Amino acid sequence: GEQMPLYKPNSKRIFNSILIVTLLAISSLSVFSRLVFASSTTIQVDPPESSVTFGATFSVNINITAVTNLTCWEFKLYYRNNVVNCTSVTEGPFLKTGGSTTWPLGLSIRNDYNATHGRILAADSLKYIVPGVNGSGVLATVTFKAIGGADTLLDLTDTKLGDEKLPPQPIPHVAIDGTVHVTGVVIHDVAVIDVKPKIPGRTQAYRGLDFKTNVTVQNQGNFTETFNAILYVNSTVIGNQSITLPIETTQTITLKWVVPKTFLKGNYTLSATASI
């Protein structure tokens, strides 16, 4: 049938002020853009303030309140990546009350988004043209691990809500951030837990040739560490390598020693240390 206009402008009417809103497509994942003005609808981090212990895993919800005819949503969440790291994002139950969804639509978790911050991008929509959902509920649940003893803002930004029209039209709303306080003692503890020749059973070295040694190091603390693994023959340093180890992880590196021709025939002890 014939498409009817939403309204017919009256060219004879004079307005004292004119508001022009330009909608820009800023994401290939979404066909709607955000309008920011007074609204009873909110999208927010819940709880708004969290206090967690260093090394703990915890979750926050992205909630929506007092929405009408919601069919699609999108948000970005920024956080200090030396305080928390995101481990997962799961779909909440609210939008699914309207039918099947496209989750995960464009889900992206980047703890190394830049030098100081991580970023989550998440979006979801109903699969079919159906009436949108109304009310309040959980859009998504975000799980973090606390990796640094400090505070971080959970900056909820670029939020978008779309209604049941085709294409979806923006639903006015307000976005509300959250805060996380990480407390507890930071324990720095790295260790060398094994030193072995790279070739099992090889215990002889020859002057002028290389001798490869496997050094296994472990982060036994609760903070991501960068340190040097240093290999010695007796008291002489013969190799070292910089290593970055996350919490509770182990890594084996291979250090090569080219035996100097000045070394005399005899017995030598290989050992390794992890720098403080």
Side-chain angles (χ1 to χ4, degrees):
E2 181 182 359
Q3 291 187 348
M4 299 298 293
L6 294 178
Y7 64 91
K8 182 177 180 180
N10 187 340
S11 60
K12 295 181 181 180
R13 203 167 192 178
I14 299 176
F15 291 89
N16 291 327
S17 63
I18 300 174
L19 173 64
I20 301 175
V21 178
T22 302
L23 301 181
L24 301 177
I26 62 172
S27 170
S28 60
L29 301 175
S30 176
V31 294
F32 56 90
S33 297
R34 182 184 183 188
L35 295 179
V36 180
F37 50 89
S39 171
S40 60
T41 300
T42 63
I43 176 172
Q44 64 189 89
V45 178
D46 181 54
E49 190 167 348
S50 301
S51 183
V52 299
T53 304
F54 188 94
T57 297
F58 66 99
S59 297
V60 298
N61 289 329
I62 306 301
N63 286 354
I64 192 160
T65 304
V67 71
T68 301
N69 290 330
L70 178 71
T71 63
C72 47
W73 57 262
E74 180 179 315
F75 69 82
K76 293 176 184 175
L77 189 69
Y78 293 87
Y79 48 91
R80 288 177 57 191
N81 56 18
N82 64 342
V83 179
V84 297
N85 273 186
C86 179
T87 58
S88 67
V89 181
T90 57
E91 182 185 19
F94 183 66
L95 193 61
K96 292 188 289 186
T97 61
S100 299
T101 65
T102 59
W103 179 266
L105 176 62
L107 176 63
S108 171
I109 300 172
R110 293 186 58 187
N111 289 316
D112 58 350
Y113 179 72
N114 61 32
T116 59
H117 284 77
R119 189 201 72 177
I120 299 162
L121 168 64
D124 199 6
S125 72
L126 293 174
K127 281 186 177 180
Y128 307 106
I129 302 174
V130 294
V133 296
N134 304 319
S136 304
V138 178
L139 298 180
T141 297
V142 183
T143 301
F144 293 98
K145 184 162 187 177
I147 64 169
D151 295 346
T152 181
L153 180 70
L154 299 181
D155 184 12
L156 189 59
T157 187
D158 291 339
T159 55
K160 303 167 188 176
L161 307 175
D163 65 15
E164 81 289 358
K165 298 181 180 65
L166 191 63
Q169 297 302 298
I171 297 175
H173 64 281
V174 174
I176 303 173
D177 301 330
T179 304
V180 176
H181 310 280
V182 180
T183 61
V185 177
V186 179
I187 300 173
H188 299 281
D189 187 4
V190 293
V192 174
I193 60 172
D194 201 10
V195 180
K196 288 181 179 178
K198 182 175 177 61
I199 300 175
R202 181 179 179 182
T203 60
Q204 290 180 319
Y206 300 90
R207 288 179 291 186
L209 300 179
D210 63 291
F211 186 87
K212 295 179 179 179
T213 305
N214 284 343
V215 177
T216 303
V217 292
Q218 187 175 72
N219 185 349
Q220 300 176 345
N222 60 11
F223 192 85
T224 297
E225 302 286 3
T226 298
F227 60 98
N228 289 327
I230 306 167
L231 182 66
Y232 298 84
V233 58
N234 290 352
S235 60
T236 301
V237 175
I238 59 173
N240 69 80
Q241 182 175 321
S242 178
I243 302 169
T244 298
L245 276 186
I247 301 167
E248 299 175 351
T249 58
T250 301
Q251 182 178 342
T252 298
I253 62 171
T254 300
L255 295 174
K256 184 175 71 173
W257 175 40
V258 179
V259 183
K261 292 182 179 180
T262 56
F263 268 58
L264 300 177
K265 179 180 178 181
N267 293 323
Y268 295 86
T269 299
L270 286 170
S271 61
T273 62
S275 65
I276 298 175

